[in-house]
Amino acid sequence: MSEQRKAGLWPWLVIVIGVSFLAISGWSVYRAVTGGSRVTDPAYYSHGLKYNRTRIEERAAEALGWQLSTAMTADRLLVRLASAGAGPVSGCRGELLIFTGAKRLTLALTEKEAGLYSVELPVSLTGSLTGDLTLQRDGARLSRRLLINL
């Protein structure tokens, strides 16, 4: 009498695990090849190259004791820049970079009077927006991250 053994469920379970592993590995390779990351910056390396220069400019602004204050009036952002002695800092070049979803909107600031800069925000902008404000003059730069509620 020869006795035959039944293999049971284990071989099928090993096969299902193996096939599942291969399917998930194949899917991962497919996603890596076809789909790029949505969190990429096309100018990534240029940011790194400018870091040292930007840091030196920020230290120059700190040494000068620049103080920044902002205010909103209707559709206009007002920026007041003063020195350590509370005197106005004039002659700066300023810009406001606003992030609206996937787009970036760059707006130039204009000097209304000594030390008072302003920019008119487009009427189409609404909600809570993030922006980067930059003022620079003679190798000194002051940057601030703003949260703008319209």
Side-chain angles (χ1 to χ4, degrees):
M1 284 198 203
S2 76
E3 195 175 305
Q4 278 189 328
R5 287 174 119 202
K6 287 191 174 182
L9 195 58
W10 287 105
W12 291 108
L13 187 59
V14 170
I15 291 172
V16 167
I17 290 173
V19 168
S20 298
F21 174 76
L22 290 175
I24 290 173
S25 296
W27 176 78
S28 297
V29 168
Y30 171 76
R31 291 288 297 152
V33 170
T34 60
S37 173
R38 290 183 220 157
V39 189
T40 58
D41 184 1
Y44 175 78
Y45 292 108
S46 68
H47 295 303
L49 295 174
K50 289 190 259 183
Y51 175 77
N52 193 32
R53 181 177 50 128
T54 302
R55 193 63 203 129
I56 291 170
E57 292 169 343
E58 288 172 352
R59 284 187 184 155
E62 290 171 10
L64 292 171
W66 286 3
Q67 298 170 351
L68 180 80
S69 62
T70 59
M72 283 291 297
T73 61
D75 60 346
R76 186 168 288 280
L77 175 68
L78 299 172
V79 178
R80 187 168 299 279
L81 186 60
S83 64
V89 178
S90 62
C92 289
R93 191 181 79 215
E95 77 175 17
L96 177 64
L97 179 64
I98 298 178
F99 305 102
T100 59
K103 294 182 183 179
R104 294 180 186 181
L105 178 63
T106 304
L107 303 170
L109 275 73
T110 57
E111 189 170 10
K112 294 180 83 82
E113 59 185 60
L116 180 64
Y117 301 88
S118 73
V119 62
E120 186 173 341
L121 301 175
V123 180
S124 61
L125 295 177
T126 59
S128 185
L129 304 168
T130 304
D132 286 336
L133 175 67
T134 305
L135 291 165
Q136 58 186 15
R137 183 187 81 173
D138 298 333
R141 172 193 300 244
L142 185 66
S143 298
R144 292 288 188 270
R145 173 68 49 107
L146 300 177
L147 179 61
I148 303 167
N149 293 310
L150 299 173

